[in-house]
Amino acid sequence: MRKLYLFGDLAENFETLVNPFVKQSGGEKAKIVLLIAGGKDWEKHIYIYTTPMRKNGVNNISVIVPEKDGSTISEDNLRKLKDSTGIFVGGGNTAIYQKIYCNSKIANLIKDKYKNDIPFAGLSAGAIITATIFWE
């Protein structure tokens, strides 16, 4: 059964809200990819997403950011996406997320994973781009 988790904003109870996504992704055995836009000082914001996931038992979280061209991801990151048991897209500038993650190669991979019952979650911009990924 397909699972889609859409979060409008990062609420105080995000740790509780993300728990069903974590469980459906495999719990302690989950291999979650966190797709983000990158940008200035992106590393200092990762804990906002990863801490609640880790508190819910996830040890394997791969953070994926675009290559220097700003619109593609590396082959290594594509492999991580292919191997994932859960996909989470972060928040930020929706237009940037569309440019990176709604290109056909990445969007088709995400869509295929979702069609094969891999849970998908998005926060803010990550939630908004689902319309482009899944229904365009």
Side-chain angles (χ1 to χ4, degrees), residues 90-114:
N93 184 315
T94 304
I96 292 172
Y97 277 86
Q98 286 178 320
K99 179 181 175 186
I100 303 165
Y101 298 112
C102 295
N103 75 54
S104 62
K105 185 177 185 179
I106 299 170
N108 286 337
L109 179 54
I110 292 170
K111 197 181 311 183
D112 288 345
K113 298 283 291 178
Y114 180 70

Side-chain angles (χ1 to χ4, degrees), residues 1-40:
M1 181 181 342
R2 296 180 188 154
K3 301 287 183 183
L4 181 64
Y5 301 88
L6 304 177
F7 304 97
D9 199 356
L10 194 61
E12 288 180 17
N13 61 345
F14 181 66
E15 183 178 326
T16 302
L17 295 174
V18 79
N19 190 37
F21 166 74
V22 167
K23 284 183 179 179
Q24 291 297 317
S25 297
E28 292 179 0
K29 295 180 180 179
K31 292 191 286 185
I32 294 175
V33 291
L34 170 59
L35 307 174
I36 60 168
K40 185 180 180 198

Side-chain angles (χ1 to χ4, degrees), residues 73-123:
I73 62 174
S74 70
E75 288 299 318
D76 182 52
N77 282 331
L78 279 173
R79 275 190 297 283
K80 289 176 185 175
L81 181 56
K82 288 177 186 175
D83 292 340
S84 68
T85 63
I87 300 168
F88 193 104
V89 181
N93 184 315
T94 304
I96 292 172
Y97 277 86
Q98 286 178 320
K99 179 181 175 186
I100 303 165
Y101 298 112
C102 295
N103 75 54
S104 62
K105 185 177 185 179
I106 299 170
N108 286 337
L109 179 54
I110 292 170
K111 197 181 311 183
D112 288 345
K113 298 283 291 178
Y114 180 70
K115 285 179 181 177
N116 287 297
D117 299 328
I118 298 301
F120 179 94
L123 183 128

